[in-house]
Amino acid sequence: MKLKVLIADKFPEKYIQELKDLDLEVIYEPKLGENDLPKAAEDVDILVVRSTVVNEETINNSKKLNLIIRAGSGVNNIAISAANKKGIYVANCPGMNAVAVAELTIGLMIALDRFIPDNVADFRNGIWNKDKYSKGKGLKGKTLGIIGVGNIGKEVAKRALAFEMNVYGKDISRIEGVQIKDFSEMDQLLPLCDIVTIHLPATPQTKGLFNKQMFSYMKNGAYLINTSRHDIIVEEDLLEAIKEKNLRVALDVFKGEPEGKSGEVKSPLQNNPNIYVTHHIGASTEQAQDAVAEETVRIIKHYVHSGVIDHWVNRAKVTDAKYQLVVKHYDKPGVLASVLDVIRQGNINIEEIENIIFEGGIAACCTMKLKLPATAEMLKQISENPNVISVSHVEI
Ligand SMILES: NC(=O)C1=CN([C@@H]2O[C@H](COP(=O)(O)OP(=O)(O)OC[C@H]3O[C@@H](n4cnc5c(N)ncnc54)[C@H](O)[C@@H]3O)[C@@H](O)[C@H]2O)C=CC1
Ligand SMILES: O=C(O)C(=O)COP(=O)(O)O
């Protein structure tokens, strides 16, 4: 039976055809929303989404779902904890839309500095106002703080350096691959910045990070750009900070973003002249959508042909494994079963296991990560198997 793939978001035609060519049953329903998915994904094997929400009900209701691919970067629209409980893989396409978001970020930076959207709006309303709009500060030599220097943050850094800006960054990991000054504390970094741009994932640690306190560190009149996720900013505190500090703000994401691709929108940010909002278009260039789709097809192809999940995001980062047992053995039926039987008798849980065959198919190596140590007696029993070549056991 063919594997069934549901694509529940906009996806370029060319790549849908590539999936069909893989002999998969492909259902393309780009208009499905969060509430349609529990039914629509009930008997699919692979679900592909962009920002469409895959909630707990969709996951719990699914009968065969094995892989969810976020055709994009942020996976916060997927109920990962529910997927973990059912052993459903979640993967994304890291870096594939980074340039597009970086380009929008630079665009927003210039838009803020030169009041481009207001220029256009006035012109459309028959108003000429060269005087009012001739107050750009210029970007050269200004200090930019990049919060979250991952795939997107790095692309922003490269472009800002080409603009001859001072570029500083803040990340939980060491910043590598771009030559920018790495700050560990926000209260040290934010007061220096003329412009702050946020490129963090939405996680419990980043939720509400930009609150009253963070805004208190920012310079009067600074620009703030957020193209990541709305939850990182406390919008009420932002509105206050705009009043108090005359911050100017550009957002590609905001609270209450409509689920559909078109329709009405209502937000308290709407009538604030210091705020520009774009329509969550960071990833929506032709180039980025093609790159993301190509990567999605590649992930599916690799999974179908080898069972390997690339960019698997819900693999346990740490397990309870404390010991490693490596058994080299002749690759014959029953050898591994006998080794596993010894471990079972010792009531030890194997957290991870991998068996790799040497060229020629005569010998193999099985690496097991164990929760508890194997006893000397167990190791002796395993070694005594004539088909076992060697045994090593270490604490990890
Ligand atoms: N507006 C749009 O259309 C798009 C928005 N995004 C958003 O941008 C976010 C970032 O995207 P990428 O750069 O592709 O992700 P990434 O995973 O490459 O980079 C995120 C960086 O944030 C850092 N980070 C995570 N938690 C942190 C914390 N608590 N404090 C400091 N640093 C932390 C990570 O170490 C990493 O370097 C995505 O998670 C997504 O929410 C992504 C693509 C398109
Ligand atoms: O990749 C991401 O994280 C994005 O936010 C892009 O969203 P989209 O695929 O355009 O709905």
Side-chain angles (χ1 to χ4, degrees), residues 16-35:
I16 296 175
Q17 190 51 48
E18 283 195 17
L19 286 176
K20 287 184 180 158
D21 294 345
L22 290 177
D23 203 26
L24 301 168
E25 182 183 342
V26 183
I27 306 156
Y28 180 47
E29 294 273 7
K31 292 217 155 68
L32 292 179
E34 176 177 4
N35 296 330

Side-chain angles (χ1 to χ4, degrees), residues 218-229:
M218 288 182 68
K219 276 187 182 177
N220 285 338
Y223 305 158
L224 175 70
I225 299 168
N226 183 21
T227 58
S228 60
R229 288 294 180 266

Side-chain angles (χ1 to χ4, degrees), residues 73-74 76 95 97 101 148-153 170-173 199-202 205-206 227-229 252-253 280-283:
S73 173
N76 59 306
N97 54 26
V101 184
V149 191
N151 287 299
I152 297 170
K170 153 85 188 149
D171 201 288
I172 31 165
S173 308
H199 302 289
L200 295 168
Q205 292 72 39
T206 61
T227 58
S228 60
R229 288 294 180 266
D252 190 41
V253 285
H280 197 155
I281 53 160

Side-chain angles (χ1 to χ4, degrees), residues 50-51 70 72-76 92-98 100-102 104-105 146-155 170-175 186 198-207 209 226-232 251-253 257 278-284 292:
R50 286 178 54 168
S51 287
R70 196 320 176 184
S73 173
V75 289
N76 59 306
N92 69 348
C93 301
M96 295 299 141
N97 54 26
V101 184
L104 178 68
T105 304
I146 302 178
I147 316 301
V149 191
N151 287 299
I152 297 170
K154 286 188 179 115
E155 294 298 336
K170 153 85 188 149
D171 201 288
I172 31 165
S173 308
R174 231 181 93 208
I175 298 173
M186 296 284 259
I198 306 172
H199 302 289
L200 295 168
T203 64
Q205 292 72 39
T206 61
K207 191 177 163 74
L209 180 69
N226 183 21
T227 58
S228 60
R229 288 294 180 266
H230 77 82
D231 343 31
I232 293 161
L251 308 170
D252 190 41
V253 285
E257 180 182 322
T278 49
H279 300 210
H280 197 155
I281 53 160
S284 297
V292 161

